[in-house]
Amino acid sequence: MCGIAGWVSYDTDLTERREVLDAMTATMACRGPDDAGVWVRPRVGLGHRRLAVIDLAGGGQPMERRTPDGAVALVYTGEVYNFTELRAELAGKGHRFRTASDTEVVLLGYLEWGEGLAERLNGMFAFTVWDERENKLVMVRDRLGVKPLYYYPTDDGVLFGSEPKAILANPAARRVVDTAGLRELIAFTMAPGRALWKDMYEVEPATVVTVDARGIRSRVYWRLDATEHTDDRDTTVARIRALMTDIVDRQLVADVPQCVLLSGGLDSSAVTGLAAARQAARGERLRTYSVDFADREETFRADENWDSPDTPYIRDVVDLVGSEHRFVTLGPHELTDPALRRAVITARDMPVGLGETDTSLYLLFKAIRAESTVALSGESADEVFGGYRWFHDPAAVHAETFPWLAFRSPMSSDRAAPLRPELRRSLDLGTYVADQYATAVAAVGRLPGDSAHERRMRTIGHLHLTRFVRMLLDRKDRVSMAVGLEVRVPFCDHRLVEYVYNTPWSLKSFDGREKSLLRHATAHVVPPSVQGRRKSPYPSTQDPGYGAALQQQAKEVLADHGHPVFTLVDRVWLTDAVGRDVTMPGGDRRGLERVLDLYHWFDLYRPEIQLG
């Protein structure tokens, strides 16, 4: 796992702008603490920061191969899980390898198959190739969008980077946020290709973007298509079990210490059980980690979102699989440290306002990184198997909007509440969300003969796999890579996603529970208590000291009268919010989180706000 950056200019000699490329690459140091490299030619500069995971000595980048017609150079981040098979195939075609890295497999694969390489890869990846033979840049991103990649068109080429901060380090990129960027920041619709910053775009998942002197073109190489599912229940469960076993085995390949993130839910417990079995077969003991809040188990209060604390279920999994487990326990003083908030905002390049769900994740990853370099996660199982509560709530299912916005939860609170009234009116978020929803629904394929309910559930599944999951994957990547931790996501293997997406909803919920297929496919590695547990969201602190600290910090914002945050934030709303009860997640507490994020984001990034 690494960070990449670069610049293509057809009118400027970039050999004279090395210092700018160095600055762009340096912003990715957190993603790649082990090595750095820059490759510069008159028309292109490629930068790379490396987190060494496979072939620690031989996988340095940028990686170049010379051909009779010109050089081909690669900067790459991620992991290709079928690189062993591809390496053998390429060797059979006469290619000679100098390293044992998957990076070289990608480079030689491009030489053999060109842009068609993308369809052959199984993994999480984002990479860029400069092909001197045609003076073109090729940018490629994995199918689900696990690894990020952004670009910024210029008058004579393009800037690119794993994160916006790499692009913003180039003086050609303006730090402008306009109304369109604010809408997407607040609306939670995850519009494809959008970035917060004006004129910046993300390479969309499953897409190849090509840049040459004629301009910028894109090609989608994979889609989530509707196909008929013909397997019966037993065959389907067996197929998922086989896929999950193969996926976890493939993702446990690394030359550095590995672990699993364990929350006590079905998803992470399934990955833990499969990984523990694999490690035991190698004579190794699995490491697992979880996050908790001080005194949460003793003071836990059930509500409409959380039925029970995670800790008892985590202990059951650890007892079953025999992992070496560590609880990372956090208190309100750690979580409300302004320096921590600024670190998370810097990691994400935007003021997301998710509060302690982001800051606690950062601290968990930081603690893990002291002992492991690679972690497997249960992320994305809810999107694949239909696990969220709103999948099973009739009102949310049939609402004419994104179901995560229709279901009552901290996520669906009014994210625009802290904004100035005139700004709320000009953003017109209701119309924006409706337009985005219509666009997203129009992209869903249909099967003849499906009932109305099956069509609706397929639509909801598609919305989650092409919209909602991208927010969670971006959060996971940016926060983990801020501390140099590679987090792998077995449930995003495209083979599993394709197969489960096309199973009928009646199969996905055949036992009257959420995630029926996963529950039965992994029953052999998960304790009964977790098998019977209801879906529980990521934990959130219920310590009243946390809300009190937020209110105190908000008072300090109010005292900073001339701060530019008040071009967006309503001072009246903030004054009222510091006097309300913000003990529990949601509502005003989330609003305070957003205000504090905006406040620090303005200080860190000095954005130019363009409204209207």
Side-chain angles (χ1 to χ4, degrees):
M1 196 74 73
C2 310
I4 64 177
W7 185 4
V8 172
S9 174
Y10 291 99
D11 296 337
T12 303
D13 184 353
L14 294 184
T15 62
E16 299 177 358
R17 304 298 303 275
R18 171 68 185 252
E19 75 286 353
V20 177
L21 287 160
D22 286 341
M24 295 173 68
T25 305
T27 66
M28 296 292 94
C30 58
R31 298 183 70 94
D34 297 328
D35 197 10
V38 173
W39 187 88
V40 186
R41 297 295 183 272
R43 296 289 167 260
V44 63
L46 306 177
H48 185 267
R49 292 289 311 209
R50 186 184 185 205
L51 176 65
V53 172
I54 293 176
D55 188 11
L56 307 189
Q61 299 183 51
M63 188 174 284
E64 175 190 14
R65 278 295 175 94
R66 297 186 179 277
T67 77
D69 300 315
V72 177
L74 167 74
V75 283
Y76 157 82
T77 176
E79 305 293 342
V80 171
Y81 302 124
N82 64 334
F83 80 96
T84 302
E85 296 96 318
L86 291 174
R87 182 187 178 95
E89 184 177 357
L90 289 164
K93 293 178 178 291
H95 292 275
R96 296 293 175 260
F97 288 85
R98 302 168 185 168
T99 76
S101 68
D102 59 341
T103 303
E104 191 176 16
V105 171
V106 173
L107 178 58
L108 298 187
Y110 177 82
L111 289 174
E112 178 66 31
W113 298 301
E115 296 177 15
L117 166 67
E119 288 90 334
R120 296 173 176 266
L121 301 177
N122 176 338
M124 56 177 193
F125 51 83
F127 62 86
T128 299
V129 175
W130 174 254
D131 191 336
E132 198 172 64
R133 300 170 300 181
E134 301 180 49
N135 281 324
K136 71 176 182 180
L137 186 79
V138 179
M139 297 182 282
V140 183
R141 194 170 176 207
D142 66 69
R143 292 171 180 82
L144 272 293
V146 181
K147 302 312 297 177
L149 184 57
Y150 295 83
Y151 67 99
Y152 186 103
T154 63
D155 292 339
D156 68 335
V158 71
L159 311 173
F160 70 86
S162 292
E163 300 178 8
K165 62 175 63 67
I167 294 170
L168 296 174
N170 190 305
R174 297 178 60 206
R175 296 181 174 230
V176 174
V177 176
D178 61 7
T179 303
L182 289 175
R183 285 192 182 106
E184 187 51 39
L185 174 68
I186 298 164
F188 234 50
T189 68
M190 284 66 76
R194 297 283 180 87
L196 172 64
W197 305 94
K198 184 179 180 183
D199 298 326
M200 188 185 297
Y201 306 91
E202 64 169 358
V203 175
E204 293 187 35
T207 300
V208 177
V209 175
T210 305
V211 182
D212 59 24
R214 295 172 294 171
I216 300 175
R217 302 175 301 283
S218 64
R219 174 181 70 87
V220 176
Y221 67 85
W222 179 83
R223 286 185 173 85
L224 195 57
D225 291 328
T227 60
E228 185 179 1
H229 184 82
T230 58
D231 292 342
D232 63 20
R233 181 196 298 178
D234 290 344
T235 304
T236 300
V237 169
R239 173 63 174 155
I240 292 169
R241 181 181 296 120
L243 277 170
M244 285 298 303
T245 301
D246 178 68
I247 291 164
V248 171
D249 285 356
R250 288 176 181 273
Q251 297 197 15
L252 284 172
V253 174
D255 297 329
V256 292
Q258 304 171 80
C259 66
V260 175
L261 307 176
L262 175 59
S263 70
L266 176 62
D267 315 337
S268 66
S269 300
V271 173
T272 297
L274 292 168
R278 175 61 173 168
Q279 295 296 79
R282 297 172 175 172
E284 301 175 12
R285 187 182 181 193
L286 182 69
R287 288 182 175 184
T288 51
Y289 294 83
S290 61
V291 68
D292 200 5
F293 301 105
D295 301 322
R296 189 170 195 266
E297 187 175 8
E298 294 76 15
T299 62
F300 178 82
R301 287 171 287 163
D303 61 22
E304 59 190 358
N305 294 298
W306 287 273
D307 295 334
S308 58
D310 294 332
T311 307
Y313 301 95
I314 293 170
R315 293 195 188 102
D316 288 347
V317 177
V318 172
D319 289 344
L320 177 68
V321 306
S323 65
E324 180 184 342
H325 187 74
R326 177 183 170 191
F327 286 99
V328 177
T329 303
L330 308 173
H333 298 297
E334 296 168 277
L335 293 169
T336 56
D337 183 353
L340 173 61
R341 184 178 297 277
R342 291 165 75 92
V344 173
I345 293 168
T346 301
R348 302 199 66 178
D349 290 315
M350 58 182 178
V352 181
L354 294 181
E356 86 277 15
T357 60
D358 272 1
T359 52
S360 64
L361 196 66
Y362 181 95
L363 292 173
L364 171 65
F365 288 159
K366 186 176 180 180
I368 292 172
R369 183 61 177 89
E371 301 170 354
S372 294
T373 308
V374 172
L376 272 63
S377 166
E379 192 85 83
S380 308
D382 288 309
E383 290 80 3
V384 175
F385 288 95
Y388 291 115
R389 294 189 180 185
W390 49 78
F391 274 89
H392 308 270
D393 178 75
V397 165
H398 296 292
E400 288 298 316
T401 189
F402 297 100
W404 54 87
L405 298 181
F407 186 77
R408 179 178 170 81
S409 73
M411 187 181 304
S412 60
S413 61
D414 184 2
R415 292 174 56 83
L419 302 182
R420 295 166 63 97
E422 62 271 25
L423 176 57
R424 289 166 59 97
R425 288 191 292 271
S426 67
L427 291 176
D428 191 11
L429 292 176
T431 300
Y432 178 77
V433 171
D435 289 346
Q436 286 296 319
Y437 175 72
T439 299
V441 169
V444 182
R446 308 293 183 194
L447 285 180
D450 272 354
S451 68
H453 186 62
E454 285 290 347
R455 287 197 300 272
R456 181 59 184 166
M457 297 314 295
R458 180 183 295 277
T459 296
I460 290 177
H462 197 276
L463 293 175
H464 281 80
L465 290 166
T466 59
R467 295 276 184 141
F468 191 77
V469 77
R470 296 181 183 179
M471 179 272 294
L472 295 178
L473 291 174
D474 182 75
R475 168 181 177 254
K476 178 272 308 171
D477 176 87
R478 302 286 285 281
V479 177
S480 65
M481 293 307 296
V483 298
L485 178 70
E486 174 176 301
V487 177
R488 300 176 178 178
V489 277
F491 290 108
C492 282
D493 186 295
H494 71 278
R495 298 170 299 160
L496 180 72
V497 172
E498 289 172 343
Y499 186 76
V500 177
Y501 172 68
N502 282 297
T503 59
W505 182 251
S506 56
L507 264 183
K508 288 189 176 81
S509 56
F510 72 79
D511 64 357
R513 303 288 306 278
E514 77 278 6
K515 294 182 284 195
S516 304
L517 291 171
L518 178 63
R519 195 178 304 278
H520 286 258
T522 58
H524 61 302
V525 294
V526 173
S529 61
V530 174
Q531 282 282 313
R533 190 186 185 192
R534 188 184 181 203
K535 165 67 183 174
S536 185
Y538 183 87
S540 184
T541 181
Q542 296 178 339
D543 190 320
Y546 181 78
L550 294 181
Q551 289 176 318
Q552 180 56 44
Q553 291 176 20
K555 290 177 182 177
E556 295 169 7
V557 172
L558 281 168
D560 195 351
H561 296 286
H563 197 276
V565 72
F566 292 109
T567 61
L568 303 180
V569 170
D570 180 15
R571 186 181 291 274
V572 173
W573 181 93
L574 187 57
T575 301
D576 291 342
V578 297
R580 299 193 187 110
D581 179 11
V582 293
T583 303
M584 299 299 288
D588 290 336
R589 179 163 133 182
R590 279 286 182 256
L592 289 176
E593 301 276 18
R594 294 179 194 118
V595 171
L596 293 172
D597 274 12
L598 284 166
Y599 179 79
H600 291 290
W601 175 69
F602 269 101
D603 287 346
L604 289 165
Y605 285 85
R606 305 291 179 182
E608 176 188 345
I609 305 297
Q610 293 184 352
L611 302 177

